[in-house]
Amino acid sequence: MASSMQALNVRPFGFNSTSVVPQRQPRPVIIRCSAASSTAKSYNITLLPGDGIGPEVISVAKNVLNLAGSIEGIEFKFNEKLMGGAALDATGVPLPEETLTAAKQSDAVLLGAIGGYKWDKNEKHLKPETGLLQLREGLKVFANLRPASVLPQLVDASTLKKEVAEGVDLMVVRELTGGIYFGKPRGFGTDENGNEIGFNTEVYAAYEIDRIARIAFETARKRSGKLCSVDKANVLEASMLWRKRVIAIAAEYPDVELSHMYVDNAAMQLVRNPKQFDTIVTNNIFGDILSDEASMITGSIGMLPSASLSSSGPGLFEPIHGSAPDIAGQDKANPLATILSAAMLLKYGLGEVAAAERIELAVLDALNRGFRTGDIYSDGNKLVGCKEMGEEVLKSVDTKKVVSV
């Protein structure tokens, strides 16, 4: 199976806004047969549609992967499995053993979304979100890469002033399998006065910090050479160790400029002056919050993909948006984050850079031609649903030549 970390020798995800796609007349999308040749590369992909809008966006992304693969001589063998609320309803657990086994045996995993109101009152071990934590732990995907780029076509969709949002292109590198989400002891109890309490533990070992720091430094090195480590070292012992280890690892990367910022200040600076950031590295809970905040700089959480990588074995790729049960089944979902997650799957998970860039440029082309789902719609553009947006991206995937100007 593909080694996720080996794929980090490619350029980190980010659109090149100077690339344009030649104009051409719309034509039917044709899936070529090149993938059927004896020389075609073949990959096993586990699909986890999940809940809410998950099945809708996964269906679109699957079609895009198939077309891009057929053009680039790549064959995909898809294995769809249950997870989250859908798995709870069918099997009684949020992550069936069959699903985890299939994921481990694949070359990459593409996830739609999990969760919904229906399961909100379940006990913790029977919540869809528990299945996601179990999947991450089972795949040992410790490095979560979340890009946030403001596309020129969508700068007006940002809630920030244009002069603040324009040109933002940052990457959040989040530690994914440690910290307070996994730390022990945790649970419920009573204190010495008989009061009911809930407690969690923020804990990191040096090796966990070292490995995510190296991924962040490597990512920053391939971008603009600037890395900001976010912590709360003025209060938390776990953050004190975090900063100590990040500084130690920095000695291995003298070409990368390292800075440090407390998480409360980072949250403020992300909306005050986001262009000061290039690559951010932080722990699990801070990364969870900051990456969601960064997503809104771009105009919509429906635009942002993510990659979760291990030292070896399959990576997990998913949009950062939720399952949006309020619009599920209504053809209103934005599939672009899932399509771009598929592009990250190709680039970071499989090392198939040409196919990945074909998809990234296809998304840009569809936006250039004015197609918008409701979450990114503005006057003067064409409002489309999930399926039609997918169809327009498919048309753009078939573009033969990309011209840089």
Side-chain angles (χ1 to χ4, degrees):
M1 59 186 67
S3 174
S4 297
M5 285 296 131
Q6 291 175 355
L8 278 174
N9 62 0
V10 302
R11 181 179 179 275
F13 177 92
F15 287 110
N16 178 1
S17 60
T18 62
S19 296
V20 296
V21 181
Q23 297 296 314
R24 71 272 184 269
Q25 295 299 316
R27 53 178 178 264
V29 175
I30 300 173
I31 303 293
R32 292 178 175 81
C33 297
S34 60
S37 69
S38 59
T39 58
K41 289 170 283 188
S42 179
Y43 298 105
N44 295 313
I45 309 297
T46 296
L47 297 178
L48 304 176
D51 311 316
I53 62 173
E56 298 171 65
V57 295
I58 284 290
S59 176
V60 171
K62 178 182 176 182
N63 290 338
V64 172
L65 273 173
N66 266 329
L67 179 57
S70 69
I71 294 170
E72 299 293 341
I74 304 167
E75 179 184 16
F76 296 108
K77 297 177 181 177
F78 296 104
N79 187 10
E80 189 171 310
K81 294 294 181 182
L82 293 172
M83 184 183 166
L88 278 166
D89 289 347
T91 70
V93 294
L95 182 66
E97 189 61 36
E98 177 185 348
T99 298
L100 180 58
T101 298
K104 287 180 176 180
Q105 293 176 349
S106 64
D107 294 301
V109 181
L110 184 62
L111 170 66
I114 54 99
Y117 310 131
K118 179 179 179 180
W119 307 282
D120 279 351
K121 295 182 179 180
N122 285 17
E123 293 184 32
K124 182 175 179 291
H125 71 286
L126 295 178
K127 286 182 178 291
E129 295 78 7
T130 298
L132 180 57
L133 294 176
Q134 292 171 342
L135 179 65
R136 290 170 177 170
E137 190 172 28
L139 293 177
K140 295 181 173 58
V141 286
F142 67 87
N144 182 228
L145 276 60
R146 292 189 171 189
S149 300
V150 177
L151 306 183
Q153 300 90 336
L154 299 179
V155 66
D156 291 331
S158 176
T159 54
L160 300 183
K161 294 179 180 179
K162 184 175 181 179
E163 59 267 27
V164 175
E166 195 168 35
V168 170
D169 179 15
L170 61 89
M171 176 77 80
V172 178
V173 180
R174 168 191 172 193
E175 200 289 322
L176 199 61
T177 57
I180 201 166
Y181 290 171
F182 293 92
K184 295 178 181 179
R186 61 189 299 158
F188 301 95
T190 55
D191 65 13
E192 63 275 10
N193 297 317
N195 295 309
E196 185 178 10
I197 62 170
F199 55 93
N200 296 86
T201 302
E202 167 75 357
V203 57
Y204 271 105
Y207 81 91
E208 292 177 300
I209 303 169
D210 291 358
R211 66 184 183 181
I212 194 66
R214 287 191 175 96
I215 296 302
F217 276 107
E218 291 288 347
T219 301
R221 173 180 276 172
K222 293 176 176 65
R223 290 172 58 89
S224 70
K226 291 174 58 179
L227 176 64
C228 179
S229 177
V230 174
D231 57 40
K232 193 62 176 170
N234 58 334
V235 176
L236 301 176
E237 284 80 1
S239 278
M240 295 173 192
L241 177 63
W242 179 282
R243 183 171 293 203
K244 175 184 176 182
R245 293 310 308 161
V246 170
I247 291 172
I249 298 300
E252 302 173 15
Y253 299 89
D255 54 323
V256 176
E257 177 187 336
L258 174 64
S259 62
H260 302 274
M261 191 175 291
Y262 296 142
V263 64
D264 43 357
N265 187 28
M268 179 181 69
Q269 294 296 331
L270 269 175
V271 293
R272 178 180 175 272
N273 180 21
K275 285 195 284 284
Q276 68 182 283
F277 297 105
D278 179 77
T279 305
I280 295 172
V281 62
T282 191
N283 69 11
N284 204 340
I285 189 169
F286 297 163
D288 191 3
I289 297 166
L290 292 178
S291 59
D292 279 0
E293 181 187 4
S295 74
M296 293 315 300
I297 299 171
T298 71
S300 173
I301 201 170
M303 289 298 301
L304 298 187
S306 74
S308 301
L309 308 176
S310 65
S311 57
S312 62
L316 173 64
F317 303 85
E318 58 181 309
I320 74 168
H321 61 67
S323 62
D326 53 321
I327 61 169
Q330 301 175 43
D331 194 36
K332 293 182 178 180
N334 184 345
L336 295 182
T338 311
I339 292 171
L340 292 171
S341 294
M344 293 191 83
L345 180 155
L346 289 164
K347 183 178 289 188
Y348 290 95
L350 305 179
E352 297 290 351
V353 179
E357 292 181 349
R358 180 178 288 276
I359 291 175
E360 292 170 2
L361 288 165
V363 169
L364 278 180
D365 188 42
L367 293 172
N368 281 336
R369 292 186 287 116
F371 295 97
R372 303 285 190 274
T373 48
D375 58 313
I376 55 174
Y377 176 76
S378 60
D379 291 342
N381 294 301
K382 182 180 179 182
L383 180 63
V384 296
C386 181
K387 292 179 182 178
E388 187 173 353
M389 180 60 90
E391 290 167 359
E392 294 304 326
V393 172
L394 283 171
K395 294 174 185 177
S396 300
V397 166
D398 207 24
T399 301
K400 299 290 194 301
K401 183 74 174 175
V402 174
V403 181
S404 295
V405 292

